Amino acid sequence: MRTLGYSERRICKALGISRNTVRYVPQPRDDEDALTADILRFAGQYGRYGYRRVHALLRSEGWEVSHGRVMRLWQREGLKVPQKQPKRGRLWLNDGSCIRLRPERRNHVWSWDFVFDRTHDGRPIKLMVVIDEYTRECLAVHVARRIRGKDAIDVFADLMETHGIPEHIRSDNGPEMVAKKLRNWLGRLGTKTIYITPGSPWENGYCESFNGKLRDELLNGELFYTLREAQVLIDQWRVFYNTKRPHSSLGYRSPAPETRIPDQEIPRQKNAA
């Protein structure tokens, strides 16, 4: 209109748009600033989350807001959605069946793997990760300088005492995984071992996915000065992952959300006389 000198009616007709869109003045809601502040807070706290996972966190805090509104504010603030990871193919047989055993219930299939990092002084630390593939719950992240077959047995024994004995345990072919002492111990308990094909980490996809999140959201952003500090911070993140972090494959619910006892059900002690 400014350049050509034509009327608003003629310009809108040429562009095929309604004149109401040109005259519309945005009416921000009263809670716009508070909602934007919470979105920025989550984006700053969890730098690798997209607007969908941030939307789930907002809903968990009581916001009655649609994901479309969150996406609009996300884009308005110039926030960047994390780049999607490339998809990996699965190993299929000639008849179309998949080799990988799929979890069907809790304690059906556990999987475990190792993740490596270093403390500030350059000394390595080793993380033993155990997850339940069906619930996606991280059962343990054991952090130590060295982890051998006997240490793995101790970790599994503590987990089985709490969660029960799994039917299968999936892992790769590392020396700790194929240790004879560990296999004999699991065999006496009735737990079957599943070893993936060498060089095929996608066959242990649940654990590899968790390892990627652990690396991306914690290890790449934390500098550990001591082993004890690493143990505390990693276990705190594990609890957050299980109880609060939205999981996309679970409908943006956490694997093991915290439960709260209503106030009226909490037993109260009588005052001492």
Side-chain angles (χ1 to χ4, degrees), residues 72-188:
R72 176 178 62 82
L73 296 177
W74 183 274
Q75 294 175 345
R76 189 192 69 182
E77 297 298 325
L79 300 174
K80 184 179 180 181
V81 178
Q83 185 178 2
K84 291 184 177 180
Q85 298 295 326
K87 295 183 178 181
R88 295 178 178 178
R90 294 179 178 175
L91 189 61
W92 300 92
L93 297 177
N94 293 332
D95 60 356
S97 61
C98 185
I99 292 179
R100 188 178 67 187
L101 175 66
R102 295 181 179 275
E104 300 176 355
R105 55 194 172 274
R106 184 186 296 271
N107 288 343
H108 183 206
V109 181
W110 288 5
S111 60
W112 66 300
D113 199 2
F114 291 111
V115 180
F116 297 89
D117 201 29
R118 291 183 180 272
T119 50
H120 183 258
D121 56 6
R123 298 176 61 191
I125 57 176
K126 195 172 185 179
L127 286 65
M128 175 182 168
V129 175
V130 184
I131 67 171
D132 188 314
E133 293 190 357
Y134 183 77
T135 63
R136 309 295 203 277
E137 181 181 1
C138 177
L139 304 178
V141 181
H142 178 65
V143 183
R145 294 293 183 186
R146 294 185 300 175
I147 301 177
R148 298 179 178 178
K150 181 180 181 302
D151 303 319
I153 292 177
D154 293 338
V155 174
F156 280 124
D158 293 339
L159 292 178
M160 292 178 186
E161 185 177 357
T162 304
H163 301 279
I165 299 176
E167 299 180 29
H168 302 82
I169 292 183
R170 193 194 316 269
S171 68
D172 58 24
N173 300 271
E176 301 88 351
M177 284 83 164
V178 299
K180 186 176 181 180
K181 183 181 296 185
L182 175 62
R183 288 185 296 167
N184 292 339
W185 181 76
L186 292 175
R188 290 195 298 269

Side-chain angles (χ1 to χ4, degrees), residues 14 49 51 55 62 67 80 136 162 164 186 198 200 234 258 268:
Y49 286 7
Y51 75 90
H55 170 253
H67 74 277
K80 184 179 180 181
R136 309 295 203 277
T162 304
L186 292 175
S200 303
I234 291 173
E258 292 179 326
R268 303 182 182 277

Side-chain angles (χ1 to χ4, degrees), residues 202-225:
W202 55 84
E203 294 184 32
N204 197 10
Y206 294 103
C207 206
E208 291 292 341
S209 176
F210 175 84
N211 293 346
K213 296 179 177 66
L214 174 63
R215 175 77 63 185
D216 192 32
E217 299 177 12
L218 179 69
L219 300 183
N220 287 346
E222 289 287 350
L223 183 61
F224 305 121
Y225 288 94

